[in-house]
Amino acid sequence: MKRHLEFLDKFSDKFLQSDFGKGTLLSGVVLGFVAYNQTKGEKGESGYSNAKIQDSPLYKQLNFGRLSLRDIKKHLSRIPELIKAYKIEPSFLVEDLAGYSQELLLNSKGKDLGIDGNFAFVTGFMNWRNYFWEIYKDYTKEKEVVELEIEKTDKGEDQDV
């Protein structure tokens, strides 16, 4: 599955132009996705869950505004067990983005998040829905096509007589 990261180039912030900054923002996206999935509720009229991300165990463990690189690494290292425990789907996409953000963090020379890092992390965390599905927009298109094909098959439209 191809990652669409072009949206990161739109940011003029120098921190986000570095691998460390991108890794920090993307780790916020991953952990935001996981936190949301920890609190899945029933779907409302809009089709989205009524879950409040503030009620997730992960949200309560994050010290927003005072995060260190060590904190992010600690939470990212728990991704496999959280995916399993909360049955997070699509797990392969979460694993892919977590792995990529970890790679960016490991390849960079960043040592301290500071104000810029904390801001980038929170930006990713709070906007996880937009960024995650922007990164994996091909997946949503493929899923729609498959669902449409299944719907047609259920109705008997594509069957030869």
Side-chain angles (χ1 to χ4, degrees):
M1 183 64 50
K2 181 179 189 258
R3 280 182 232 106
H4 295 276
L5 299 169
E6 303 84 21
F7 76 95
L8 292 173
D9 297 332
K10 294 178 186 174
F11 296 119
S12 61
D13 188 311
K14 287 184 182 182
F15 181 79
L16 287 175
Q17 297 308 312
S18 68
D19 283 349
F20 187 58
K22 290 175 184 175
T24 302
L25 181 114
L26 294 175
S27 63
V29 173
V30 169
L31 293 174
F33 185 90
V34 170
Y36 172 79
N37 278 276
Q38 286 181 319
T39 60
K40 281 184 185 172
E42 294 182 23
K43 295 195 181 214
E45 292 177 20
S46 66
Y48 291 111
S49 171
N50 294 327
K52 292 182 181 174
I53 201 166
Q54 298 89 336
D55 295 334
S56 77
L58 180 59
Y59 182 93
K60 293 173 184 175
Q61 294 170 13
L62 293 169
N63 192 7
F64 293 103
R66 294 186 180 148
L67 285 170
S68 67
L69 182 57
R70 183 173 183 246
D71 295 331
I72 290 177
K73 286 179 177 180
K74 179 179 83 172
H75 290 295
L76 286 175
S77 70
R78 295 183 55 228
I79 293 292
E81 74 177 277
L82 294 172
I83 288 172
K84 183 179 177 186
Y86 292 97
K87 297 177 179 89
I88 298 172
E89 291 296 335
S91 62
F92 69 98
L93 295 181
V94 178
E95 291 165 354
D96 179 65
L97 192 57
Y100 183 66
S101 67
Q102 290 166 333
E103 187 178 315
L104 289 172
L105 291 173
L106 288 172
N107 287 334
S108 66
K109 294 179 179 161
K111 301 241 183 238
D112 183 28
L113 291 179
I115 294 170
D116 292 333
N118 273 275
F119 184 76
F121 178 84
V122 170
T123 300
F125 189 89
M126 299 310 289
N127 292 298
W128 73 264
R129 186 184 317 269
N130 297 333
Y131 295 153
F132 188 86
W133 295 117
E134 176 65 25
I135 293 167
Y136 295 110
K137 59 186 169 189
D138 292 344
Y139 173 77
T140 55
K141 289 177 186 173
E142 287 176 17
K143 189 175 176 184
E144 289 172 6
V145 168
V146 169
E147 287 174 357
L148 185 62
E149 289 174 1
I150 290 171
E151 194 175 294
K152 283 183 179 179
T153 304
D154 288 346
K155 290 181 180 178
E157 292 178 13
D158 278 359
Q159 295 177 358
D160 294 330
V161 181

